[in-house]
Amino acid sequence: MQELAPGAASERARAIYDYGETAIFASAADPRFHFLLYVPPAAADGRKIDLLVAVHGTGRTSALEFRDGFAEFGLYNDCAVLCPIFPVGVRGDGARSGYKMMQEGDIRYDKVVLDMVAEIAAKYGQDWSTFAMFGYSGGGHFTHRFAILHPEKLWAASIGAPGSVTLLDPDRDWWIGVRDLAERFGKPFDPAALAKVPVHMVVGSLDLETWEITHKPGGAYYMDGANDAGETRPERLRSLQKSFEAAGVRVTFDEVPGVSHDRLKCIGRTKAFLTRVLKERRS
């Protein structure tokens, strides 16, 4: 069998591993964290494309499901898909949920994502100074809190079935409210910037189990008022909707009939929302 010349071998490897459904990469800024991508042919042709960041839930396996689940959307909408992977127990303590709250010890997960975006933007020669974000369950936690912290970085946000929500309450501290945002994260809440972001919220009408989302005294994230937004995921997401809309945010809300906590039965609503926003954005 004829061997490829070094240059041709390098190009073939790039086509296999760096485009389409890519390999899993370690973040250059912090190799404890990984990511995988879908990169459409348009990028290989040198065209400018958009970016969707899709954030996994607690099980982490949805990173692969979201990459593949959004691949067709990315192909037909000239949009790359970045799926970060935040491993369980990255600090050696077995913790599963630190990324959902943006900060865990010395780790700032919002900055981990921003570093990943900067890395791949440089690699593919793209301007991804703004991007869209979607997350479901644990990723829904991440997405709405990222939007609160960095609205200026988003051209859209789709928030799927978070177990707990941060309301835009200036009288309560993080993670329930935003009173101490500046002290905790180094930047104040900017409601005017958030109001410019088209926001989508999606949850199944039968997503009613509460065993995993009810905060109890002694829990890692328990605070007074931790359960005030509602008992179930639909109730809590409705509370988030009201809080965002009171701040001037335009929210598209999808409660999917007959669906429980099933991410793959909800992402079609996200694709429809993002397709509409992209059309408006590009026109």
Side-chain angles (χ1 to χ4, degrees), residues 175-250:
W175 57 267
I176 295 173
V178 296
R179 176 169 56 192
D180 61 341
L181 206 66
E183 293 80 9
R184 186 178 292 269
F185 294 105
K187 61 187 299 189
F189 173 53
D190 187 347
L194 184 60
K196 296 177 182 178
V197 181
V199 171
H200 175 242
M201 299 182 184
V202 61
V203 66
S205 66
L206 299 182
D207 196 347
L208 304 176
E209 290 191 2
T210 61
W211 66 272
E212 193 175 19
I213 68 173
T214 301
H215 296 276
K216 298 178 180 179
Y221 301 106
Y222 180 79
M223 299 173 62
D224 287 341
N227 300 303
D228 286 357
E231 182 179 358
T232 66
R233 292 177 195 265
E235 290 174 359
R236 293 182 178 186
L237 198 57
R238 286 289 186 187
S239 294
L240 186 67
Q241 176 193 15
K242 292 175 183 177
S243 181
F244 271 38
E245 289 179 340
V249 180
R250 178 169 54 106

Side-chain angles (χ1 to χ4, degrees), residues 49-69:
I49 61 175
D50 285 290
L51 176 67
L52 167 65
V53 177
V55 185
H56 61 66
T58 309
R60 275 69 176 175
T61 56
S62 57
L64 181 60
E65 292 173 353
F66 290 160
R67 192 276 304 275
D68 294 347

Side-chain angles (χ1 to χ4, degrees), residues 70 263-273:
F70 282 102
R263 53 190 175 265
L264 295 181
K265 290 183 179 178
C266 289
I267 65 171
R269 304 297 182 99
T270 294
K271 293 177 192 178
F273 166 77

